Amino acid sequence: MTPPEYTYPDGALAFPHRGLTGIAGLAPHEIWFLLDEAEQWVEMNRGAQKRRELLSGLTIINAFFENSTRTLLSFEIAGKRLGADVVNMAVANSSVKKGETLIDTAMTLNSMRADAIVIRHASSGAVQLIADKVDCPVLNAGDGQHEHPTQALLDALTIRHAKRAFNGLRVTICGDILHSRVARSNILCLNALGADVRVCAPPALMPADIERMSVTVFHDFDAALKGADVVMMLRLQMERMEGQFIPSPREYRHLYGLTLDRLAKAEPDALVMHPGPMNRGVEIDSNVADHLDRSLITRQVEMGVAIRMACLDVLTRKSRKLEGWA
Amino acid sequence: MSMHAPLTITGGRGLLADGTIAAGAVRCEGGFITAIGSDVTPRDGDIVHDAGGALVTPGLVDIGVFAIDKPAFHFGGITRAALMPDQNPPLDVSARVRFAAQSGKPDFWVHPLAAATQGLDGKALAEIAMMRDAGARAVSTGRRWIGDSGTMLRLLQYTGMLGMVVIAHAEDAGIVGNAVATAGEMATRLGLPCAPAQAEAIAIARDIALADMAGAAIHFRNVTTAAGLDLVRTAKARGVQVTAGVSPAYFMLSDLAIGAFRTFTHLSPALRSEADRNAVVAAIADGTIDIVASGHDPRGPEDKRLPFADSAPGMSGAETLLPLTLTLVRDGAIDMDRAFALLAGNPARLLGVNAGRLAVGTEADIAVIDPERPWIVNADKMAASAGNTPFDRQPVQGRVLALFKGGTAVRAR
């Protein structure tokens, strides 16, 4: 496979967006630009010196209205490695719990003169709502079941490192597609880059008309795995389920758990991904998740920091008055 | 009884009860229409209103509003509205019904809808006969569906005996759950909790069967899907006492409008597909839909400036009810007579009130309108107590020039 060529214009035209609320609305070359920008940070993060004072003096607020460990940590490390002052807003102790509206919280953060706000919220569209009300760039760290753009970008970067080319690459996404913002952002991102995307889930966990997002729909995991180059597993989002969607985790594993035997039905060099957190023994077996040659799961976490550094850098270039961006 | 001088509206084109439009005058006395025709002239002492060639129509009768918002109703040419029982506290006892029935007078009449069940929780029947005698014109399940089929059957048997219609919300609650959108590509892309549109047909099928069994009348406040409308159409042909209503949003918009998470398009039921929207237009044209109503539900920023799924459903619809319905006339789907049957005649008949028609002996609720006058909907400058309209910035045609309740001017410009 030969890598597809994406060229992009100089300066701000390469990424002419105020914030990053979703993959929807991004052109393929804009995605590619962010991936290219992240490479330098992959490099730097692997060295001993992991800090560059690019965003020195800037304040980044991580406002997480929904619990998160890895994404919050990833954004915090990304901001700090670029020299920014990073503040995490712990919602458990905030006025949100006292009945303050989301807009009021957003206006408060805005008045504190943040240079970028990273937001996670349990409601789809909440990040866009805030982005429309504040003056600084807003990064979506996951909104409800809508989008999780940095996850899709880090997944694309991980795949690019492992597979080099996206054109014709068969990616199977299996799991709770219905409740997954990761699935939606990945479908948009992988399709934009030319991959062939399949989704697999029982009907109750498959969103209506998902095929309209240019994916092939499977309910049979074995069929979905046949010929797959990448297998992306998703967790069952029990916390978002109202009513019963599957009989039991054991039953779910019986049909949709990625075991070594199942993985053998994919391409011989198929790679395994998972956005985390994993439910070992449910959607993925430990010997698959920890497979040194096949699992990219720890690599995804590594790429996450680099992608978030790239996004923070690119989105603050205007306020930092970088040449060609101000 | 009106204490005011008699009124004669001259120089208008009257939309008469027989469906014709004829030039002439309308004379009102003691709150009632006493004469209509080209030979009618004002008498000494009459208040004379020159309609200047405009259309003289019955005042609109709006079934199923959530708030009494007189400025918006008057702007929209609405002289009577049936108030949903979903108030705080709900209209589930006669004292609250009696109070609500008086709340609009003298220049606006509120017809309270009695809550079908105590607290509108779908379990125990409310004191419907007492509420009827306190002024309730019909019974309503409120925003919700009664999930227990046994309760719904007993309700219909009881209202059938009392001669009251049940105004039902037609969505199977078990399927809808916490959905805020109709299942489909748009809801999937936006990641919004959604439910299949068939939840409506399932509810309608059950309720038609129960109404048929009980020999009772049922009215579905909003029928918004092709499948639901087919069921109503078939049941009507079979002679079941079923009628259907709809709000203009469902013949004007599809779920494409919820893109960008605009909470003003968060309605209940949720906006449907384009195919269902077309089915609503067809059902209005072929008579399956009897009533077009505003569903007026003004909601301020505290309810609407929220993430889509966290926002309250509903739109401020009183001011746009007439012009949006007139788009169907301009598009040739219906004629002017049918438009006012949908907006005034049929709803008045459903409530059993002597209004909704321009005829001698009916109450003198009269609108003078210019069906062609263009204007632009502006959410920031609405007469309603909140401007939550999905039609913001939309150019429309049709404006009320003057409005009379019981022969007395409530608005003239």
Side-chain angles (χ1 to χ4, degrees):
Chain A
M1 289 193 283
T2 51
E5 293 284 325
Y6 286 99
T7 57
Y8 35 82
D10 291 335
L13 289 175
F15 197 81
H17 305 279
R18 251 186 87 225
L20 181 68
T21 51
I23 299 294
L26 297 189
H29 71 265
E30 293 165 359
I31 295 170
W32 204 255
F33 169 71
L34 291 177
L35 300 185
D36 284 351
E37 285 289 324
E39 294 293 358
Q40 57 184 311
W41 307 121
V42 176
E43 195 84 0
M44 187 183 88
N45 290 340
R46 287 177 178 171
Q49 175 50 254
K50 294 189 187 61
R51 191 177 166 103
R52 225 176 100 193
E53 301 295 328
L54 213 54
L55 307 191
S56 158
L58 269 60
T59 304
I60 296 168
I61 300 181
N62 293 325
F64 279 54
F65 297 87
E66 194 184 56
N67 286 335
S68 160
T69 308
R70 58 184 62 220
T71 306
L72 176 60
L73 200 56
S74 183
F75 267 108
E76 184 175 357
I77 290 172
K80 284 183 170 162
R81 286 190 181 166
L82 290 172
D85 296 316
V86 181
V87 186
N88 295 333
M89 198 186 90
V91 166
N93 309 323
S94 79
S95 356
V96 176
K97 291 272 178 210
K98 300 169 195 158
E100 184 174 82
T101 69
L102 186 57
I103 296 282
D104 288 336
T105 310
M107 298 314 289
T108 304
L109 298 181
N110 194 47
S111 303
M112 290 174 182
R113 304 272 176 204
D115 296 286
I117 304 179
V118 180
I119 298 166
R120 167 168 289 194
H121 196 281
S123 282
S124 303
V127 174
Q128 184 64 56
L129 185 70
I130 295 178
D132 292 342
K133 301 287 175 203
V134 299
D135 302 315
C136 67
V138 167
L139 284 86
N140 184 354
D143 64 326
Q145 306 164 22
H146 178 224
E147 283 233 42
H148 190 354
T150 57
Q151 179 71 42
L153 292 168
L154 74 87
D155 287 341
L157 187 61
T158 307
I159 294 172
R160 190 167 86 161
H161 274 243
K163 290 285 186 186
R164 296 287 157 204
F166 288 91
N167 236 334
L169 191 78
R170 282 172 297 239
V171 182
T172 298
I173 306 175
C174 178
D176 185 355
I177 312 285
L178 180 69
H179 297 105
S180 178
R181 53 197 175 212
V182 174
R184 283 170 179 77
S185 287
N186 259 312
I187 289 167
L188 293 166
C189 186
L190 290 166
N191 269 324
L193 296 176
D196 175 9
V197 185
R198 306 161 168 190
V199 290
C200 180
L205 296 177
M206 189 69 83
D209 294 346
I210 185 85
E211 65 279 1
R212 300 288 289 270
M213 293 181 77
S214 306
V215 295
T216 316
V217 173
F218 290 86
H219 300 305
D220 177 352
F221 195 18
D222 290 349
L225 284 172
K226 195 162 183 282
D229 299 303
V230 175
V231 184
M232 211 177 261
M233 299 305 294
L234 301 174
R235 166 179 81 87
L236 285 173
Q237 302 207 36
M238 298 289 194
E239 73 279 12
R240 292 188 205 279
M241 294 185 191
E242 285 207 1
Q244 198 186 12
F245 285 70
I246 51 152
S248 71
R250 194 169 66 161
E251 170 109 340
Y252 180 80
R253 177 182 184 274
H254 182 63
L255 291 178
Y256 298 101
L258 187 61
T259 60
L260 274 180
D261 284 349
R262 277 236 171 76
L263 183 59
K265 299 180 194 289
E267 287 294 287
D269 60 346
L271 297 172
V272 176
M273 301 175 76
H274 194 301
M278 285 184 282
N279 290 319
R280 288 171 181 263
V282 183
E283 75 271 7
I284 191 164
D285 275 11
S286 282
N287 54 10
V288 176
D290 302 334
H291 199 297
L292 289 175
D293 303 326
R294 310 290 288 277
S295 171
L296 296 174
I297 294 170
T298 52
R299 188 74 65 79
Q300 288 173 271
V301 180
E302 180 193 6
M303 296 299 157
V305 176
I307 275 291
R308 284 157 187 141
M309 290 172 79
C311 292
L312 288 172
D313 166 25
V314 168
L315 290 172
T316 55
R317 284 181 186 178
K318 187 176 158 71
S319 64
R320 288 186 286 129
K321 302 198 175 6
L322 217 70
E323 200 184 331
W325 290 80
Chain B
M1 272 314 115
S2 169
M3 303 299 287
H4 296 265
L7 166 78
T8 303
I9 301 169
T10 60
R13 295 175 297 120
L15 179 63
L16 306 180
D18 65 3
T20 59
I21 296 177
V26 180
R27 188 162 188 278
C28 313
E29 195 171 351
F32 291 87
I33 297 174
T34 53
I36 302 175
S38 54
D39 54 343
V40 172
T41 51
R43 297 187 200 165
D44 280 352
D46 280 11
I47 295 170
V48 178
H49 179 90
D50 182 1
L55 195 64
V56 179
T57 71
L60 275 50
V61 181
D62 196 359
I63 299 274
V65 303
F66 290 89
I68 298 306
D69 189 4
K70 270 201 233 179
F73 293 135
H74 286 159
F75 184 101
I78 299 163
T79 45
R80 295 163 184 264
L83 178 65
M84 291 296 282
D86 311 68
Q87 306 298 313
N88 187 17
L91 304 181
D92 60 355
V93 294
S94 55
R96 290 186 203 127
V97 166
R98 186 172 289 113
F99 180 80
Q102 298 300 322
S103 61
K105 289 180 179 181
D107 55 352
F108 188 80
W109 280 17
V110 176
H111 300 296
L113 299 175
T117 55
Q118 294 170 27
L120 285 168
D121 65 1
K123 296 191 180 98
L125 295 190
E127 295 165 336
I128 295 168
M130 292 175 71
M131 288 192 278
R132 178 193 63 179
D133 295 343
R137 285 284 173 178
V139 177
S140 170
T141 65
R143 294 180 194 274
R144 284 185 275 171
W145 189 64
I146 293 180
D148 186 307
S149 304
T151 304
M152 188 64 179
L153 176 60
R154 287 186 289 277
L155 169 69
L156 286 161
Q157 287 169 332
Y158 196 59
T159 54
M161 174 190 77
L162 296 175
M164 296 173 85
V165 62
V166 171
I167 298 179
H169 180 85
E171 277 188 302
D172 184 306
I175 292 178
V176 171
N178 62 352
V180 295
T182 302
E185 181 185 357
M186 186 53 80
T188 289
R189 284 184 183 274
L190 297 178
L192 290 172
C194 58
Q198 286 83 346
E200 178 178 287
I202 290 165
I204 289 177
R206 184 202 75 171
D207 287 353
I208 284 176
L210 294 173
D212 197 9
M213 206 186 305
I218 189 160
H219 172 74
F220 298 109
R221 200 160 52 85
N222 271 308
V223 186
T224 61
T225 63
L229 289 162
D230 280 346
L231 289 167
V232 171
R233 198 175 282 121
T234 315
K236 280 186 167 184
R238 248 185 21 241
V240 182
Q241 299 174 64
V242 56
T243 50
V246 78
S247 290
Y250 302 100
F251 60 74
M252 297 295 293
L253 303 173
S254 69
D255 63 354
L256 291 175
I258 68 173
F261 300 102
R262 291 173 56 215
T263 58
F264 285 5
T265 65
H266 178 190
L267 307 177
S268 173
L271 287 170
R272 306 302 191 186
S273 68
E274 184 64 13
D276 282 331
R277 185 188 76 82
N278 287 322
V280 170
V281 175
I284 291 173
D286 73 13
T288 303
I289 286 178
D290 306 276
I291 288 170
V292 177
S294 74
H296 190 64
D297 194 2
R299 297 274 185 173
E302 66 282 7
D303 287 327
K304 285 291 192 183
R305 223 167 63 172
L306 295 168
F308 196 94
D310 304 335
S311 68
M315 66 169 276
S316 180
E319 284 153 86
T320 49
L321 176 61
L322 174 68
L324 295 176
T325 305
L326 290 178
T327 61
L328 297 171
V329 177
R330 261 188 303 282
D331 293 347
I334 54 172
D335 62 16
M336 192 64 84
D337 175 48
R338 171 99 176 109
F340 278 86
L342 293 161
L343 293 170
N346 293 344
R349 190 174 312 125
L350 186 84
L351 295 174
V353 293
N354 181 25
R357 294 172 304 135
L358 221 53
V360 171
T362 62
E363 294 198 33
D365 299 352
I366 300 169
V368 177
I369 71 167
D370 179 349
E372 308 297 332
R373 180 180 290 193
W375 57 287
I376 293 173
V377 181
N378 185 340
D380 297 329
K381 293 183 180 168
M382 289 178 79
S385 58
N388 51 313
T389 172
F391 300 102
D392 190 26
R393 310 286 155 188
Q394 183 151 322
V396 293
Q397 276 178 272
R399 189 90 178 226
V400 176
L401 306 176
L403 189 65
F404 302 88
K405 176 80 194 82
T408 303
V410 290
R411 181 169 175 275
R413 55 202 258 181

